[in-house]
Amino acid sequence: MASRLNPYLTFDGDAREAMEFYREVFGGSLTLSTFGEFGLEGTPHGGRIMHGMLETGSGFTLMGGDLPPGAEFSAGSNFAVALSGDDDAELRGYWAALSEGGSVSVPLEKQMWGDVFGACTDRFGVPWVVNIGEGEGEGEAGAGQG
């Protein structure tokens, strides 16, 4: 899969409603995964959306999810630019350049969903998430970052 760049929106418990709304607006195919599917079943976060992805017939991709447990919501800064794909060298190169001189909030390393993921803010204050898939399927299940 070629690398892709798209917005990643973060919500405070209403990601399902928001992503379904965007599907109504733009059309397309929506996939949603809950925190419960990744080990938090039976917790207050179990039914919240860990990762959602809307892909439209117009070629738009919009990703989003609810904040992970313990994270604070900040309206107006609840987005990141997402880079994802399965080209390890290419995406690690982007990560190295974007994180240099910035701050890393999640180190680029293997996550519970099986992909390599990291989150940083570049030296200009722009938040980025990078997800490197295994090359099987989409490989873009990132926890919401904001």
Side-chain angles (χ1 to χ4, degrees), residues 12-131:
D12 192 20
D14 55 358
R16 180 181 305 274
E17 180 182 354
M19 295 300 289
E20 289 174 349
F21 168 73
Y22 299 134
R23 179 181 53 196
E24 290 174 20
V25 172
F26 299 112
S29 174
L30 176 63
T31 57
L32 299 171
S33 300
T34 65
F35 282 98
E37 294 172 54
F38 291 93
L40 294 180
E41 191 65 42
T43 70
H45 273 77
R48 289 186 175 196
I49 302 303
M50 180 177 158
H51 176 71
M53 184 165 68
L54 175 65
E55 294 184 286
T56 75
S58 297
F60 301 157
T61 299
L62 180 63
M63 295 182 196
D66 289 310
L67 286 168
E72 281 191 43
F73 183 78
S74 178
S77 64
N78 54 327
F79 74 95
V81 181
L83 282 167
S84 56
D86 58 11
D87 187 326
D88 188 83
E90 177 183 46
L91 291 164
R92 284 182 186 276
Y94 295 146
W95 170 263
L98 290 166
S99 62
E100 184 177 337
S103 64
V104 173
S105 56
V106 178
L108 187 65
E109 59 190 22
K110 191 155 185 118
Q111 301 295 322
M112 68 177 135
W113 59 89
D115 293 348
V116 172
F117 175 87
C120 69
T121 300
D122 70 21
R123 64 186 180 173
F124 301 103
V126 176
W128 295 86
V129 295
V130 175
N131 193 93

